[in-house]
Amino acid sequence: MFQNVSYFKTLIIAAYCLFGVTIAHGQTKLVQPAVGTTLVQSLVFPGQLQGEEGLIIVPENRENPSGRMISVHYLRFPAKETVGLPPVFVLPGGPGQCITVEDIQQGLRQKRYNKISEIVAFNRNRDVIIVNQRGNSRVPGIHSLPSTWFAKPGKSSEPMSFEKSSRRLVAGLKASLKKCESLNIDTRGYDILHLIDDVDAIRRVYGYEKIALRGSSFGSQWALAYLKRKPKHVDRMILSGVEPLDHGYDSADGIWNVFKKIEEEARKSKDVKLPDVGLLGAVRAVIARLEEQPVRIRGHHPRKNYTAKVVIGADDFRHYLTRPILDAPIHSRKMLEFWPKFVLEIYREDYQYLAAKIIDDRPEYQHHSLLLTLVDNSLGITANRETKLQSESAYRWLGDQNWFYKATRNVTPTPVVSDEFRQPSVNQTPILMIHGTLDLATPIENAEELLPYFPQGHLITVKGGTHAATHHAASVDPDFLEYLSEFMNSNDPSSIVQKIPNTIFLPALQFKTSKDRSLFFELIQKKDNHQTK
């Protein structure tokens, strides 16, 4: 109920302020509010959190003084007990993710660990400010940035080609940017430097000299970017699913190393029967086979009750190696438990499940986050790292994992940061990092490479954890949330890290085996079960 009222009131107030009318000498004039104007209303979650929901007015493009103003949405909760510690700024990931009032309500209802439970823990002694990214269509405010853009998919009767897909991406993004231009949207203002300055604008409005930062995935990259530009204002940081500034592009070797660890676990399992070539040997064999001759079959997707001719090529297989399987959520351990079965079925030339996935995905327009495309391409990559990624041994088998960015980067209008900005440097800021060893989105090597630059840093390695490593860690270690809150709320974080473990171990993966029903049969069963409900 509050979310709807809040959303409505905020829009009304913001619209009135942004497009207010003044009358002078018989003439009317639209007036934009001053930069830094805040619009706030109270926000109460009885007995748990109390504060305000706000908008701050900022330029859409700070390089264009005559441009329009937009708003940045934030939530602020003053500390329950003030002890003089700087506030915590929580930076959502994505780009494109956010934390809404509804998200907080849902998180507070849960008894298990979640990102809202962190906020409650930090709020005991610190103000907590959640800063949502400019242009995000899921939060209240004045913004006109479309949430997605569309690219035409390939035909299921043709094998997937990263090169051909890239051309379709370029056409789709150009059309979206042209539409933005017609709506007077300055897309140059949706870059990492503007996100940094938005955080700093809120810091200045409330008179904070220093702030602590909490970010996961892109949120960690955002935090590191703020530290790079505003080092004297950072008190400490907690980062998970760590993404250094020059690591926005994916590493084929990092992904392959996760596959190696899955194979190692599969070899220890009594229930998984691997071929003589092993699991990774099966991946290589499938790719080589499909490179030599794509497979042509008639595929069927039960949800659509649709049958079509499908041509499966090497890039199809590469694409789905890191995609969710059946109902397993992305970044879940369940997805990894299905992974050997997915590979081995195709190795044994059972293509029905993959064909169904291709039928399901290709006939519909592919949608992509516009905010993600703009912000990520503003970070870019150094020439040295790009050369390194292309020379990795796993590049031969996984192909170009960064074809999306390479296709769109020359079309994207956002300014690109310098190589100097991307380079890490030694920093004495206390930092606590949490990272899973089976993270396909941001491999653990990211955190391991960053750690030496932070003499006061500490890394919790979650053995068996994915990109959702914090959730996995909390599920097996009841003190996990306390590690984070003590690090954040202590006057001496260096003394706290001595009590925090270096490693948290998760149980072994419970793999699906050849004795289980095929993935395609499971897909049919899920469709039948859905219809009978």
Side-chain angles (χ1 to χ4, degrees), residues 232-343:
K232 70 177 183 178
H233 293 303
V234 180
D235 169 57
R236 70 193 72 180
M237 303 192 296
I238 297 180
L239 309 179
S240 55
V242 183
E243 198 165 14
L245 294 175
D246 198 24
H247 285 57
Y249 282 38
D250 291 330
S251 162
D253 277 359
I255 295 170
W256 195 260
N257 287 339
V258 173
F259 293 162
K260 282 182 181 178
K261 291 165 188 169
I262 296 173
E263 181 180 48
E264 290 169 5
E265 281 210 42
R267 288 190 182 280
K268 297 175 185 177
S269 172
K270 297 178 181 178
D271 299 322
V272 180
K273 186 177 180 180
L274 298 180
D276 292 341
V277 296
L279 196 54
L280 297 188
V283 172
R284 295 188 191 96
V286 169
I287 291 171
R289 189 167 70 211
L290 293 175
E291 285 178 335
E292 183 176 350
Q293 182 63 57
V295 170
R296 290 168 169 78
I297 65 170
R298 289 199 68 79
H300 177 76
H301 197 286
R303 180 174 65 83
K304 295 185 175 181
N305 196 24
Y306 176 73
T307 301
K309 182 192 295 183
V310 177
V311 181
I312 301 173
D315 282 349
D316 288 290
F317 182 58
R318 290 180 174 117
H319 178 72
Y320 285 100
L321 279 172
T322 56
R323 297 302 184 274
I325 301 170
L326 291 176
D327 60 348
I330 189 75
H331 308 319
S332 68
R333 279 166 54 87
K334 183 178 179 181
M335 171 183 157
L336 304 184
E337 291 170 342
F338 276 119
W339 193 80
K341 188 171 182 63
F342 171 74
V343 170

Side-chain angles (χ1 to χ4, degrees), residues 160-163 166 249-256 259 283-284 287-288 291 314-322 386 388-404 406:
M160 183 179 184
S161 162
F162 289 166
E163 181 179 350
S166 296
Y249 282 38
D250 291 330
S251 162
D253 277 359
I255 295 170
W256 195 260
F259 293 162
V283 172
R284 295 188 191 96
I287 291 171
E291 285 178 335
D315 282 349
D316 288 290
F317 182 58
R318 290 180 174 117
H319 178 72
Y320 285 100
L321 279 172
T322 56
E386 186 167 1
K388 175 181 179 296
L389 295 183
Q390 291 175 342
S391 65
E392 291 178 336
S393 59
Y395 189 94
R396 158 69 185 92
W397 301 109
L398 297 182
D400 192 348
Q401 292 291 305
N402 300 295
W403 59 273
F404 174 87
K406 291 180 182 178

Side-chain angles (χ1 to χ4, degrees), residues 13-26:
I13 295 171
Y16 178 80
C17 290
L18 278 176
F19 303 105
V21 177
T22 61
I23 302 175
H25 307 294

Side-chain angles (χ1 to χ4, degrees), residues 138-153:
R138 286 189 55 218
V139 298
I142 296 172
H143 49 66
S144 302
L145 189 67
S147 60
T148 56
W149 59 276
F150 299 89
K152 290 183 178 179

